[in-house]
Amino acid sequence: MSTQIVTTSCSYDCGGRCVIRAHVEDGVIKRIETDDGEEPQLRACLRGRANRQRVYAPDRLLYPMKRTGERGEGKFQRISWDEALDSVSKELLRVKETYSNQAICYYGASGTMTAFQGQRRPFTRLLNMFGGFTGRWGVASYEGLAFACRYTYGTMTCGNSRDDLLNSKLIILWGMNPADTMMRTGTASWLAKAKEAGIKIICVDPRYTEAAASFAQQWLPIHPGTDAAVLISMAYVMIKEGLQDQHFLNTYTVGFEKFRDYVMGIEDGIPKTPAWAEAISGMPATAIATLAKEYAISKPASLLAAWSPGRTAFGEQFHRASMTLAAMTGNIGISGGNSTGYEGLPYGAISKSIPVGQNPLGQQMTKPWEGLNPYSKADKDGPAFHVAKIFEALIEGTKAGYPSDIKLLYVIAGNPLNQLLNINKGVAALKKLETIIVQEQFMTPTARFADIVLPVNSHLEKPDISAPFLTGPYFIFMNQVIPSQGESKSDWEIACELAPRLGISNFTEKSEEEWLKYIVENNSVLPAYDSFRQNPVFKMSLSNPHVAFREQIEDLKNHPFATPSGKIEIYSQRIADMNNPQLPPIPKYVETWESPEDSLARKYPLQLITTHSKFRANSVFSNVSWVVELETHALWINPLDAVTRGVKNGDTIRVFNNRGEMRVPVRVTERITPGVVQIPAGAWYNPDKNGIDLGGCANVLTRDEMSPGGAFPDNTCLVQVEKV
């Protein structure tokens, strides 16, 4: 029996895009390997290696299903594709004719991140041609960071390539744990090489993470939501001791004087000393001062400010403060430094994919934003709800200032009743809707609330193109590995079959392969189509590491920053013009809601963080036994907090606040700072008859609020823990 080895890639929103080499016999995957080619290798993690178990999982959805019980009860019966597609199209047409397209909410998420079928493209195209829809805005992962990048640098393309870490004298991992989350394929490998080269690595995090254990010489614990305070006090030390790169600040930035006045207490009478920050953050003042001096004098130094500290209330201030420190130390635009921004690279991105058109509802907006509350927007892209406020918007609609009254929810590549904030409010929201349609591979918590569930195939069952996470410097052609399982179809195939039922005649102007060729031919960085399919791992040859903003630093006159001033904006007049006291025009520490100083802390004294896990990609793999069996899903708690509650390692505990309650095992460990607990995000919501979650879904506890700059604050949450 001959074995065929087919090369493809994962398509999850997991922090990487890696090589998958599937061994196939008679149309069946027998095992999975990864990259064994030339360096740098694009090696898959345990999730990528578990793809065979996922595609052949016994609970895989293989046929269209129709709800027969109460919504959320999980009772369904199998139906034919014709009945399913007729039902879906009938509901879309009914809602459009009865209420208008604005009553259709399209929730496309990050469950697939490929160049053709991913990123919500097929159904964005379909629904735009159908007359439009209400969407969502705000990227849950990094919207606070996006805000900071736009108003500080004017661009999201502000990262150094990872090989440049070997040119650093100091690396600071701030809330970054690439041992679990990858944060660009190969990051852990480059950190290991940096450690071997003797480069000092410091980890700032509430937890002693796998990255801290594997790479760092020092761990500095910190309380969630206080990162900006520590960064600002580091600025105080630099200014007090004259360690800032004043030439860099004078030449390349605007607004440092205003920031300095705030830091030194001239503005408000409160000097932002390390002692001030210690009282807020729990990090010792001596450690803060030492870190500040090390960062200032160890040039070049790379501050890798990750996304999780920005997923807090006022998280955008963390990112703006980190960028200001990078400027103060002159580490922007130089080899071995880092801008601490989004880290997108200028190569390795798909610039042109299938055309999706424009939302007709957006074209009708004559007065964008007017009359809407801060959680909504209506512009050329159409009406939208912020991702943190979707459940409230579904419940309250226009009477609460939202732009639409939603009657039909269409969900693709997402699991909102698991991944969005305040799940119990989400249950109420979904029960209020007239129609819910979900395209899925498994009966997820969201799919259980659907009226029609359409089975979609996996990335191993269709061809596509993989663009790297955070871009560059490679691409992978995702060859189809096996036929579609059961009766599952791709998102593109479903859209093509719905189009004529919706009266759309020109949707399928190209076949699947023609669109793939179109993408390759219209992205000059890619090799020729036939060559790409035959040699699917295309690694770009770069003679030197990429350094963001090198051109600006070497020749600012001819290469200004993409900001109104042409410089790095420590003070942003555009933010000042917003006239929002919660969005100061310079980076400031703003105390979060549900902080230890909140009156609510008397009842719920522990700060909960919801971390990304090496065992899941958001909520993907939560039901795959190979991965689930590797580690018990449990809440971490420090021994000091455990002993006062009579909790021992392995006990089942109740974790609760005024929004919800869960029952999970507990892990008592010194790897988390006192006063803080953590539970990995993504475990599937599984309520008992009393609404108590037995699955360990963190979002039964989180607050559905948005930070002023749009950050998704899933790491700002107070809870209490008790033994059951």
Side-chain angles (χ1 to χ4, degrees), residues 700-719:
V700 301
L701 302 164
T702 52
R703 176 177 172 180
D704 54 323
E705 189 55 78
M706 123 187 177
S707 188
F712 185 82
D714 56 342
N715 287 322
T716 298
C717 179
L718 288 174
V719 300

Side-chain angles (χ1 to χ4, degrees), residues 614-636:
K614 73 175 72 174
F615 305 108
R616 284 187 289 276
N618 296 319
S619 70
V620 181
F621 290 100
S622 286
N623 62 325
V624 177
S625 60
W626 262 30
V627 178
V628 172
E629 292 168 1
L630 289 173
E631 183 175 89
T632 300
H633 180 68
L635 179 125
W636 286 23

Side-chain angles (χ1 to χ4, degrees), residues 363-423:
Q363 294 173 324
Q364 298 168 13
M365 295 295 169
T366 57
K367 296 181 179 180
W369 295 82
E370 186 173 317
L372 301 181
N373 64 34
Y375 309 121
S376 304
K377 72 183 184 76
D379 56 20
K380 63 181 178 61
D381 295 321
F385 311 134
H386 187 270
V387 66
K389 304 300 291 185
I390 288 177
F391 292 147
E392 181 176 290
L394 294 179
I395 293 171
E396 302 294 339
T398 55
K399 69 181 181 182
Y402 292 98
S404 307
D405 291 311
I406 300 302
K407 305 298 180 181
L408 182 150
L409 176 65
Y410 207 124
V411 179
I412 294 178
N415 188 9
L417 196 71
N418 205 82
Q419 299 306 103
L420 297 187
L421 307 172
N422 198 347
I423 293 300

Side-chain angles (χ1 to χ4, degrees), residues 294-540:
E294 283 193 87
Y295 185 37
I297 66 177
S298 301
K299 192 172 181 178
S302 180
L303 171 56
L304 294 174
W307 301 352
S308 54
R311 289 197 294 271
T312 54
F314 312 106
E316 50 274 350
Q317 300 306 319
F318 159 72
H319 292 296
R320 293 206 74 221
S322 70
M323 295 171 191
T324 299
L325 255 68
M328 289 180 64
T329 56
N331 275 302
I332 297 171
I334 64 170
S335 183
N338 191 268
S339 69
T340 81
Y342 174 72
E343 296 196 284
L345 302 179
Y347 44 73
I350 297 293
S351 59
K352 193 168 186 178
S353 185
I354 66 170
V356 300
Q358 188 172 348
N359 189 334
L361 298 183
Q363 294 173 324
Q364 298 168 13
M365 295 295 169
T366 57
K367 296 181 179 180
W369 295 82
E370 186 173 317
L372 301 181
N373 64 34
Y375 309 121
S376 304
K377 72 183 184 76
D379 56 20
K380 63 181 178 61
D381 295 321
F385 311 134
H386 187 270
V387 66
K389 304 300 291 185
I390 288 177
F391 292 147
E392 181 176 290
L394 294 179
I395 293 171
E396 302 294 339
T398 55
K399 69 181 181 182
Y402 292 98
S404 307
D405 291 311
I406 300 302
K407 305 298 180 181
L408 182 150
L409 176 65
Y410 207 124
V411 179
I412 294 178
N415 188 9
L417 196 71
N418 205 82
Q419 299 306 103
L420 297 187
L421 307 172
N422 198 347
I423 293 300
N424 284 319
K425 184 179 285 187
V427 170
L430 297 192
K431 286 184 176 180
K432 183 177 184 290
L433 296 172
E434 293 183 5
T435 307
I436 301 174
I437 301 159
V438 175
Q439 294 182 189
E440 251 301 346
Q441 295 169 1
F442 295 93
M443 191 59 72
T444 64
T446 303
R448 288 173 62 88
F449 280 74
D451 297 288
I452 299 289
V453 180
L454 304 178
V456 290
N457 56 19
S458 72
H459 61 274
L460 299 176
E461 298 162 56
K462 61 195 171 203
D464 214 316
I465 298 168
S466 177
F469 186 86
L470 293 178
T471 66
Y474 64 90
F475 293 93
I476 303 170
F477 194 96
M478 301 173 66
N479 286 296
Q480 183 172 345
V481 176
I482 55 173
S484 291
Q485 301 298 289
E487 294 182 4
S488 64
K489 299 177 184 287
S490 71
D491 292 327
W492 173 252
E493 290 172 323
I494 296 171
C496 288
E497 294 192 32
L498 276 175
R501 289 173 164 88
L502 298 175
I504 301 169
S505 59
N506 57 339
F507 183 80
T508 54
E509 60 184 89
K510 288 181 173 64
S511 67
E512 180 181 79
E513 184 170 18
E514 287 171 337
W515 277 123
L516 290 170
K517 287 182 178 179
Y518 171 89
I519 293 169
V520 172
E521 291 167 357
N522 283 276
N523 288 273
S524 59
V525 69
L526 295 174
Y529 181 77
D530 290 338
S531 174
F532 194 17
R533 293 200 71 162
Q534 293 169 12
N535 302 284
V537 182
F538 173 61
K539 299 177 182 178
M540 302 168 67

Side-chain angles (χ1 to χ4, degrees), residues 34-65:
T34 187
D35 193 358
D36 58 1
E38 62 183 23
E39 296 284 348
Q41 292 182 345
L42 309 171
R43 297 189 64 79
C45 69
L46 61 93
R47 292 165 295 202
R49 311 293 184 93
N51 270 300
R52 182 171 71 92
Q53 281 63 38
R54 188 170 186 275
V55 78
Y56 295 130
D59 55 341
R60 172 91 183 267
L61 291 174
L62 300 177
Y63 310 99
M65 308 289 282

